[in-house]
Amino acid sequence: MVMSATASGKKVGVVMTMGALHEGHVSLVEQCTGQVDVTVVTIFVNPTQFLPGEDFEKYPRDLDGDLDSISGLPVDFVFAPTAQEMYGESFSTTIQPPDVGKPLEGSHRPGHYEGVCTVVFKLLQAVPASVAYFGHKDYQQYLVIKKMAADLDLDSKIEVCPTVREPDGLAMSSRNRYLSESERKQALAISAALLAAKKSVADGCDDVDAIAKGIREQLVAAGISKIDYAAVVHAETLEEIASIDESSVALVAAYVGDTRLIDNMAL
Ligand code: PAF
């Protein structure tokens, strides 16, 4: 069906998700439906991007709820394959992520982006879309997928859409469902620390170490002490920088209770 839409010259867009849809996903779907003729949403909790000991088993799965969340939108197809349908019995070919996938998430979750690249490539084989939409909250993922698409000559344009936040600033994430009431409050320190960093930069600070230290200190002050990274790096390469300018981004990955949250802000 999608193939015939493509063949008849219609512009196909895809929003790839792991389900547990929230307003962030809905905004991706809205952006997609506003820009293409045929919108496809994929829902697949991809086992290969979870490391042993991560939350693959408990990751929220609610297909009916997900379908309800997008029922008011002009979505043409939902593709929700099983792991068997995606990988079969003896799957063994994977895609090595590009260099931009090596730091940050890449070093803390080795193998994660290999799983992401492989499943995104395979989903684009099933859904040959001319545009694929991803959220800015998973900023490194967006850079990794964009580079993979360029390096492997994929026909799909990779679009990034703004992070959707709760009114108090918390970046929307399917994993927010794991947070208790008190953890939910604690988690606010992440977006607050990033905002404070942005303000310091706007006020004239260009010191990378001072800004990164400031973020870390605010997290610790809020009781968030297990911090995978609080980094200030180049927004395109994610490489270390000597001083902050308009092409810098701050990224955080930290545990609130047992829940690992990520967020980022352009500085
Ligand atoms: O961002 C996600 O939800 C996933 O990493 C993706 C892109 C759907 C691949 O499984």
Side-chain angles (χ1 to χ4, degrees), residues 41-234:
V41 174
T42 71
I43 299 178
F44 178 58
V45 185
N46 173 37
T48 67
Q49 69 187 75
F50 289 80
L51 272 62
E54 288 191 345
D55 56 344
F56 173 66
E57 302 298 341
K58 77 163 186 179
Y59 198 85
R61 291 162 173 85
D62 176 16
L63 187 56
D64 289 341
D66 289 340
L67 296 178
D68 272 357
S69 309
I70 51 172
S71 61
L73 298 169
V75 172
D76 297 280
F77 301 100
V78 172
F79 179 52
T82 62
Q84 172 68 22
E85 282 163 342
M86 283 302 286
Y87 293 114
E89 294 302 335
S90 60
F91 187 84
S92 65
T93 305
T94 61
I95 294 179
Q96 280 306 313
D99 286 350
V100 72
K102 286 185 181 150
L104 307 174
E105 291 298 285
S107 66
H108 287 276
R109 302 181 70 194
H112 169 66
Y113 284 133
E114 185 177 341
V116 170
C117 284
T118 305
V119 80
V120 168
F121 185 93
K122 283 174 69 62
L123 287 169
L124 285 174
Q125 300 305 301
V127 182
S130 49
V131 201
Y133 295 83
F134 296 91
H136 199 283
K137 190 188 74 80
D138 296 298
Y139 182 65
Q140 188 176 12
Q141 169 175 277
Y142 153 67
L143 292 178
V144 165
I145 293 170
K146 191 168 71 147
K147 186 73 168 87
M148 172 189 73
D151 286 353
L152 299 184
D153 305 319
L154 302 186
D155 286 334
S156 313
K157 182 167 178 238
I158 306 302
E159 281 274 353
V160 68
C161 306
T163 301
V164 178
R165 297 182 181 278
E166 303 280 0
D168 57 12
L170 181 68
M172 295 215 179
S173 162
S174 303
R175 291 191 167 97
N176 291 350
R177 297 183 187 203
Y178 300 150
L179 301 172
S180 68
E181 209 176 310
S182 62
E183 289 169 344
R184 168 74 182 66
K185 283 196 190 122
Q186 210 179 16
L188 286 181
I190 298 176
S191 53
L194 288 168
L195 262 183
K198 202 175 164 69
K199 182 166 182 314
S200 300
V201 172
D203 290 345
C205 178
D206 67 355
D207 184 330
V208 176
D209 291 340
I211 295 290
K213 187 163 170 267
I215 296 173
R216 203 169 265 278
E217 281 173 356
Q218 285 201 49
L219 298 181
V220 172
I224 301 175
S225 52
K226 194 171 168 197
I227 302 168
D228 274 355
Y229 54 82
V232 177
V233 290
H234 191 278

